[in-house]
Amino acid sequence: MKFRSDPARIRGSIAPVITPFTDDGDLDLDSLRRLVRWQLESGSHGVSIGGSTGEPAAQTVAERIAAIRAVAEEVDDAVPFLPGTGSAKLDETLEITGAARDAGADAALVITPYYARPTQDALVTWYATIAREFPDLPIVIYNVPSRTAVDVAPETVARLFAEHDNLVGIKETTKDFEHFSRVLHLCGGELLVWSGIELLGLPLLALGGAGFISAVANLAPVAVAQMYQAWEAGDQERARELHYGLHPLVDLLFVETNPAPAKWVLQRHGRIASAHVRPPLLPLSPAGEPRVRVLLDQGAHLLDTC
């Protein structure tokens, strides 16, 4: 938990690891542990589990907690660990967040409550409740309006950041890049802002962002980590080269609903035992497979570094 007391050190490429299942649909903790070890070997600057790429809404609370504990054991304080702990229900969110704290998480990534479409005042109450319940645990807002049907306004972020010392950052998964800028302008550089949109990760660094929680790190963790490192070293040409080189792999992720294409690739490369996704998702379809193969070939030079 060495990063929990100094969340400003949680920067760079935080890999949002997929949740592997067996062909029968059971949680596959052995494959999950192997994926985490691969991320650490590849130089990812942090690890997350239970974000959108991890299919949390298709899991029970017990399964999510089991996955968090397994990842925490593998990470073992080598890099920051930011599990997703949010749910549409407050009691579940508090239970999973508490389990993550006890497992040694450095911060909790808490998604906005989905489906209900709460007002901005309701979001303030939601996050204030969580922040007060866990005063010693850094809390990170997870804003992903395309999936939750609610957008955390920059003014709401600023209000929460000002009122709660342990609300330290936000993962912004919105293609509205003006939104990023307004959040940072209102909150200042002390707020940690990560991009959850793959192709906005590098541009966000120019605004003062902390890094990215990018699903493409599931396929090319070395390249994604090196992109951040190149930027930090002042090698903008290399950072841009990696950014554009990752385009085919980013497009691959969304040929069909993420994470089905990523799981298909990971199984083919022997990283996981099964490409199973839980309902309501379906595995990569025969119609989508040719497009994934083309994009995989185009991005193969970055996969080869992994």
Side-chain angles (χ1 to χ4, degrees):
M1 298 181 289
K2 62 185 178 184
F3 302 98
R4 183 185 294 183
S5 61
D6 188 10
R9 297 169 60 195
I10 307 175
R11 296 179 176 274
S13 174
I14 312 298
V17 178
I18 61 115
T19 303
F21 303 114
T22 67
D23 284 335
D24 293 330
D26 296 327
L27 195 63
D28 182 359
L29 293 180
D30 289 338
S31 288
L32 177 58
R33 288 176 179 275
R34 287 198 301 272
L35 287 176
V36 173
R37 290 195 292 271
W38 178 47
Q39 289 292 337
L40 297 176
E41 293 163 2
S42 299
S44 290
H45 306 114
V47 173
S48 183
I49 184 74
S52 302
T53 301
E55 302 174 71
Q59 297 173 53
T60 66
V61 168
E63 287 174 323
R64 292 182 65 183
I65 291 173
I68 287 170
R69 288 172 176 162
V71 174
E73 289 175 2
E74 290 298 328
V75 170
D76 193 25
D77 238 11
V79 297
F81 176 39
L82 287 76
T85 64
S87 165
K89 297 177 63 181
L90 183 60
D91 60 340
E92 291 182 355
T93 297
L94 295 176
E95 181 179 357
I96 298 168
T97 303
R101 174 201 58 195
D102 296 344
D106 295 290
L109 183 66
V110 182
I111 197 168
T112 53
Y114 36 88
Y115 186 76
R117 303 184 70 178
T119 64
Q120 296 300 306
D121 284 343
L123 289 173
V124 168
T125 299
W126 176 271
Y127 282 106
T129 300
I130 298 164
R132 286 194 296 264
E133 184 73 17
F134 305 100
D136 298 324
L137 180 66
I139 303 297
V140 176
I141 298 169
Y142 180 13
N143 187 35
V144 53
S146 65
R147 288 183 180 261
T148 64
V150 61
D151 190 11
V152 185
E155 294 78 10
T156 300
V157 179
R159 179 178 169 186
L160 286 163
F161 183 57
E163 294 177 358
H164 302 281
D165 291 342
N166 62 324
L167 202 148
V168 300
I170 184 167
K171 175 186 176 183
E172 286 283 11
T173 307
T174 171
K175 293 184 178 180
D176 180 1
F177 203 54
E178 182 178 327
H179 186 102
F180 287 78
S181 186
R182 293 192 180 280
V183 166
L184 281 161
H185 181 234
L186 288 172
C187 297
E190 291 185 0
L191 180 75
L192 300 169
V193 181
W194 296 272
S195 175
I197 298 292
E198 282 65 31
L199 297 185
L200 294 182
L202 182 60
L204 176 61
L205 297 181
L207 296 180
F212 18 86
I213 305 176
S214 172
V216 76
N218 281 286
L219 304 182
V222 172
V224 180
Q226 287 181 350
M227 181 171 66
Y228 177 82
Q229 290 163 197
W231 172 269
E232 286 294 293
D235 190 350
Q236 296 182 18
E237 182 177 352
R238 176 60 176 160
R240 284 194 295 269
E241 178 186 355
L242 289 164
H243 167 83
Y244 289 117
L246 286 165
H247 268 237
L249 299 180
V250 172
D251 292 343
L252 181 161
L253 293 174
F254 303 104
V255 166
E256 292 176 5
T257 305
N258 175 46
K263 285 190 166 183
W264 184 88
V265 173
L266 289 168
Q267 183 189 34
R268 280 177 53 84
H269 284 74
R271 298 290 179 187
I272 57 177
S274 171
H276 183 89
V277 291
R278 282 186 174 175
L281 300 184
L282 291 173
L284 182 67
S285 70
E289 187 174 319
R291 178 61 177 157
V292 167
R293 289 182 182 273
V294 168
L295 293 167
L296 194 59
D297 287 343
Q298 293 174 2
H301 63 295
L302 294 183
L303 285 173
D304 290 342
T305 66
C306 301

